[in-house]
Amino acid sequence: MFTSESKEKINSARWALVYLGVTVFALAFFLVYDRFSHGVRSAYMTWMFAWPMMLGLFPSLIYWRFKGIPRQGRLSANLYHSGVAALTVSSMLRGIFEIAGTYSDYHEWLRYAGWIMLVGGIIAYLFQGNMRKTIRRR
């Protein structure tokens, strides 16, 4: 039991570091892009770093700190992390398009897909406990 808990803690800490890196990269990307945008700004580009920070870094830190919380399964983790990535990239694209003064539907489709994956990951997380109980009963 001890090795399982330590592996889960290491995995949570690893994801926290990954999301910290993505958050810092998104902030640096905004600062560089803002420097060369000739004073034109977009809220989507400015707050792009908030997606990985709020949806990735903070939950990973909570998992890392509190060991009593059930961990994500493979399906729920993959869906959730893909949703966070899609929302972050969608925000970046919308910011780029607004700063450039153009329009495209692609970032909207990516945003919808991101929300679907994010919610799907949360639903899979909520039902994974019921699935494990059903498998154990058999």
Side-chain angles (χ1 to χ4, degrees):
M1 191 75 169
F2 176 73
T3 57
S4 174
E5 289 177 7
S6 64
K7 282 183 184 179
E8 289 174 356
K9 257 193 133 146
I10 290 170
N11 197 23
S12 297
R14 182 177 58 100
W15 276 111
L17 286 174
V18 167
Y19 275 115
L20 178 64
V22 172
T23 302
V24 169
F25 174 78
L27 191 57
F29 186 86
F30 157 70
L31 292 173
V32 169
Y33 208 88
D34 187 52
R35 174 86 171 127
F36 297 106
S37 66
H38 304 290
V40 180
R41 294 189 179 204
S42 168
Y44 291 96
M45 182 68 76
T46 303
W47 297 102
M48 174 179 60
F49 73 93
W51 292 110
M53 183 178 68
M54 299 296 290
L55 296 175
L57 179 62
F58 290 158
S60 296
L61 290 174
I62 290 170
Y63 274 134
W64 178 63
R65 181 67 178 115
F66 302 105
K67 60 183 174 186
I69 300 173
R71 302 302 183 222
Q72 291 179 316
R74 170 82 80 198
L75 175 66
S76 63
N78 287 343
L79 281 172
Y80 187 83
H81 297 312
S82 297
V84 174
L87 289 171
T88 304
V89 171
S90 172
S91 181
M92 178 187 68
L93 288 175
R94 179 134 185 205
I96 290 171
F97 290 145
E98 281 185 0
I99 290 170
T102 60
Y103 180 77
S104 176
D105 290 337
Y106 294 122
H107 65 85
E108 290 180 22
W109 288 103
L110 187 59
R111 185 179 65 222
Y112 296 144
W115 280 113
I116 289 170
M117 287 185 285
L118 192 76
V119 170
I122 292 170
I123 290 171
Y125 175 74
L126 294 175
F127 284 110
Q128 78 183 3
N130 293 335
M131 292 170 46
R132 287 182 184 162
K133 290 177 188 174
T134 305
I135 292 170
R136 287 181 187 158
R137 287 181 191 159
R138 292 182 183 183

